[in-house]
Amino acid sequence: MKPYPSYKPSGVQWLGDVPSHWRVNRLKEICRLRPSNVDKLTVEGQVSVRLCNYVDVYKNERITSTIEFMDATATAEQIEKLSLKRGDVVVTKDSESPWDIAVPTVIAEDIPGLVCGYHLTKLDPVRAQGDYLAWGLRCYQVNLHFALSANGITRYGLGSSALADGNIPVPPSDEQQAIADYLYVETARIDTLIHEKDELIGLLKEWRQSVIAEYTSGASQSQPKKATGNVHMPWIPSDWSMVRLGKYARIGNGSTPLKDNASYWEGGTFPWLNSAVVNRDAVDEGSEYVTDVALRACHLPIVEAGALLVALTGQGKTRGQVTVLRIQATINQHLAYLALDDSRFDSNFLFWALTGMYAALRMVSDGQGGTKGALTCDDLARFEVPMPSLSAQREIAKAVSSETGKIDDLIAHTNDEIMLLKELRAATITDAVLGRVDVRTAPKQ
C-alpha cells in the first residue's frame, strides 16, 4: 500500500501529520455522548430492558444478538437516551486500570430492548460512521491519550468532558468505510493466526505432560512391567515400587501472619511464600518477607531448600501443582511442603513424578463426591508415587528436564510469535486510522 499524496500537521502533537484532506475533530463534534446511569438492578415499576454491560463491551469488538445480555430495568427517560441502535459505539468510562478506559465496541445490528449499561458511555455518531469511529478509538495513540486522561488511584474514571474533548482523525465518509472494511479483513486474518498459535501452545503443553508421564511412569523403559493395583499408575517396571509419600517425606503446611500486625511484616527478611509460586518449576525468592517475630509468634515452619511445595487449594489450575524450593523459606496455609529423605528420593525426580500425576492429585482433592476442592497433608501422605532406584531417578529427571526444555523453548518461541502478531495488529490499526497508508491502494483479495 502507498501513503497518501500529501499530508498536513494535525494540530495535535500526539497524532502527528494526517492526510491533507482529512479533518481532526473532537469527539463531541462528530457524535453525541451519553454517559449511562443504568445499573443491573431490577426496580419495580420500571421497564424491562436488555443491558449491554461492561464485560460485553470489553470482550467484543462488535455487539450482536448472539451475546447473552443481562436482564435489567430502566426508566422511560433512560430508555430514550441510552437505547442502542446499529452503528452506535459504546466505550468504557470506568475501570480498575487506566489502560481499560475508552475501550470501544460497535453495535453491529439492531437489537430490540438493548440499553447501554453502567460504567459505559454511548456515542451516537453524527459526522462519522460507527464502524470507523470504533477503529479510531482502538488506535494506540488515541487510546493512550484517553488512558492518560483518566483520574483515580485504585479505580480510574474518564470524565464526560475529557472524553468529549478527545481528538480523532476523520477522513471523508467513503474513506471511513474503506478503512473499516480493510481493518475488519486484516485483523480477522491476524486473529486467526493468533488463535492457531494459541491452539499450538495447548498441544505443546499436552505433549509436555505426556512426555513427563511417560518417563516418570516407566512407560519408556524396555524392561518387563508389573501391575501396581494403583488406578492412577496401573503398570510400572518390574524393579520399581509404588510407595506412599508419607513414608519418605515429612509433610506439613504453614500459615499467614496477621497482615495488620506491623511487627510481623515491616522490615521482614525471611522469605514467605503463597500458592502462586507453584506456577514456576522452582522457587528462588519470596512472595513476601516476614520478621523473626512472625516466625516465632506464628510458629511458621522453616522449610529447607530441596523440599517440594504442593498447592493444597485453588479453583483454577493451581491446586495440585508442584514446585521445587531452592531457598530456605516458610509458607502459607495453602501450601504443603514435602521434606524428603534424600537417601531414597531425588527431589527433581519426585517433582517430575508429581507433575506427571497432576490429574491424579486433582482427583484426590475433588473427593468422592466432587465437592471437596482441596488437598490435605494427610492426602499427600497417603498418595502413592513410583520409586525406581536412586540412580534411575536421577537419570530420568535429567532426561525429562532435557525433553521438556526443548518443548518449553517451542512454547516460548510461539508466545513470542503471538506477541509479534498482536503488535502487528495494533500497528495495522494505527497505520490505517492515522492515514499512514492509503488502504484504497490495498491489493484486492
Side-chain angles (χ1 to χ4, degrees):
M1 289 182 295
K2 299 177 181 178
Y4 282 87
S6 61
Y7 290 82
K8 66 181 180 183
S10 67
V12 180
Q13 183 178 6
W14 46 271
L15 285 179
D17 294 344
V18 296
S20 56
H21 62 293
W22 285 22
R23 306 188 314 272
V24 174
N25 290 122
R26 293 186 173 94
L27 279 181
K28 64 184 179 183
E29 296 172 333
I30 60 173
C31 58
R32 289 186 288 267
L33 288 81
R34 309 280 192 186
S36 176
N37 60 350
V38 181
D39 60 30
K40 60 184 179 182
L41 298 177
T42 298
V43 179
E44 187 175 353
Q46 293 186 353
V47 181
S48 295
V49 296
R50 304 164 77 184
L51 201 64
C52 179
N53 63 28
Y54 182 96
V55 175
D56 299 328
V57 172
Y58 190 82
K59 291 190 173 181
N60 298 282
E61 290 189 342
R62 291 164 60 85
I63 298 295
T64 68
S65 56
T66 60
I67 296 171
E68 188 173 342
F69 299 104
M70 181 182 296
D71 292 327
T73 62
T75 65
E77 182 183 7
Q78 288 172 328
I79 292 172
E80 182 179 357
K81 289 174 55 179
L82 297 168
S83 288
L84 297 172
K85 65 182 184 302
R86 180 179 180 181
D88 285 344
V89 174
V90 182
V91 298
T92 59
K93 66 182 180 69
D94 303 295
S95 181
E96 294 178 357
S97 167
W99 308 110
D100 295 333
I101 293 292
V103 174
T105 190
V106 64
I107 308 301
E109 58 186 87
D110 289 319
I111 303 171
L114 188 63
V115 169
C116 178
Y118 201 59
H119 300 306
L120 303 170
T121 293
K122 169 189 172 182
L123 307 182
D124 182 6
V126 177
R127 298 174 62 195
Q129 297 181 18
D131 285 326
Y132 170 77
L133 180 58
W135 285 117
L137 290 167
R138 291 185 196 109
C139 171
Y140 176 74
Q141 283 85 340
V142 175
N143 193 260
L144 177 62
H145 169 75
F146 288 124
L148 297 176
S149 301
N151 296 312
I153 299 175
T154 59
R155 187 164 186 87
Y156 296 82
L158 186 66
S160 295
S161 60
L163 181 61
D165 287 334
N167 292 286
I168 191 169
V170 183
S173 181
D174 61 333
E175 289 181 51
Q176 291 181 37
Q177 189 61 57
I179 290 170
D181 291 344
Y182 165 79
L183 288 176
Y184 279 127
V185 172
E186 291 304 311
T187 57
R189 192 196 315 274
I190 296 169
D191 289 342
T192 297
L193 289 171
I194 292 173
H195 178 70
E196 290 172 352
K197 299 293 183 183
D198 280 331
E199 287 187 327
L200 175 58
I201 288 175
L203 292 172
L204 286 169
K205 288 180 177 179
E206 289 179 12
W207 178 28
R208 185 183 195 271
Q209 191 68 10
S210 68
V211 167
I212 296 169
E214 182 179 359
Y215 274 92
T216 57
S217 68
S220 61
Q221 304 288 323
S222 59
Q223 64 260 49
K225 304 299 189 290
K226 66 180 180 183
T228 65
N230 184 301
V231 66
H232 305 301
M233 193 170 291
W235 297 92
I236 57 174
S238 56
D239 59 346
W240 290 23
S241 302
M242 289 295 292
V243 299
R244 289 189 174 190
L245 282 175
K247 187 176 179 179
Y248 298 94
R250 181 167 49 87
I251 301 173
N253 65 336
S255 64
T256 301
L258 288 174
K259 290 288 187 177
D260 57 2
N261 190 327
S263 68
Y264 291 166
W265 299 95
E266 287 186 7
T269 58
F270 197 85
W272 174 88
L273 307 173
N274 61 35
S275 58
V277 299
V278 298
N279 293 308
R280 310 195 299 268
D281 286 349
V283 183
D284 53 15
E285 62 181 357
S287 305
E288 297 181 60
Y289 293 84
V290 295
T291 63
D292 290 342
V293 173
L295 288 173
R296 293 192 302 269
C298 302
H299 305 289
L300 294 173
I302 294 178
V303 187
E304 299 296 337
L308 301 182
L309 304 179
V310 183
L312 299 175
T313 62
Q315 294 305 311
K317 67 177 184 178
T318 301
R319 177 168 31 102
Q321 285 190 301
V322 186
T323 189
V324 181
L325 183 62
R326 300 298 190 198
I327 57 173
Q328 187 185 63
T330 189
I331 60 177
N332 75 0
Q333 66 275 19
H334 302 295
L335 285 171
Y337 66 85
L338 279 64
L340 302 173
D341 176 358
D342 290 338
S343 66
R344 302 300 299 273
F345 263 118
D346 177 78
S347 62
N348 290 319
F349 169 81
L350 189 56
F351 162 73
W352 290 119
L354 289 172
T355 300
M357 300 183 76
Y358 170 74
L361 285 168
R362 296 284 292 194
M363 289 178 64
V364 170
S365 68
D366 286 337
Q368 295 296 322
T371 58
K372 184 180 175 185
L375 281 165
T376 66
C377 292
D378 286 340
D379 289 332
L380 291 174
R382 290 190 296 267
F383 192 76
E384 290 189 334
V385 294
M387 188 173 73
S389 67
L390 193 58
S391 61
Q393 290 179 41
R394 289 168 178 159
E395 289 177 5
I396 291 170
K398 183 178 180 181
V400 174
S401 181
S402 175
E403 292 302 313
T404 56
K406 296 172 187 176
I407 299 171
D408 290 341
D409 286 345
L410 290 173
I411 292 173
H413 179 71
T414 307
N415 274 319
D416 288 343
E417 290 179 330
I418 289 174
M419 291 301 299
L420 288 172
L421 285 168
K422 288 180 177 179
E423 290 175 9
L424 173 61
R425 190 184 200 275
T428 299
I429 296 169
T430 295
D431 287 348
V433 168
L434 298 187
R436 293 172 180 170
V437 295
D438 184 351
V439 304
R440 298 170 300 175
T441 67
K444 299 301 180 182
Q445 302 298 322

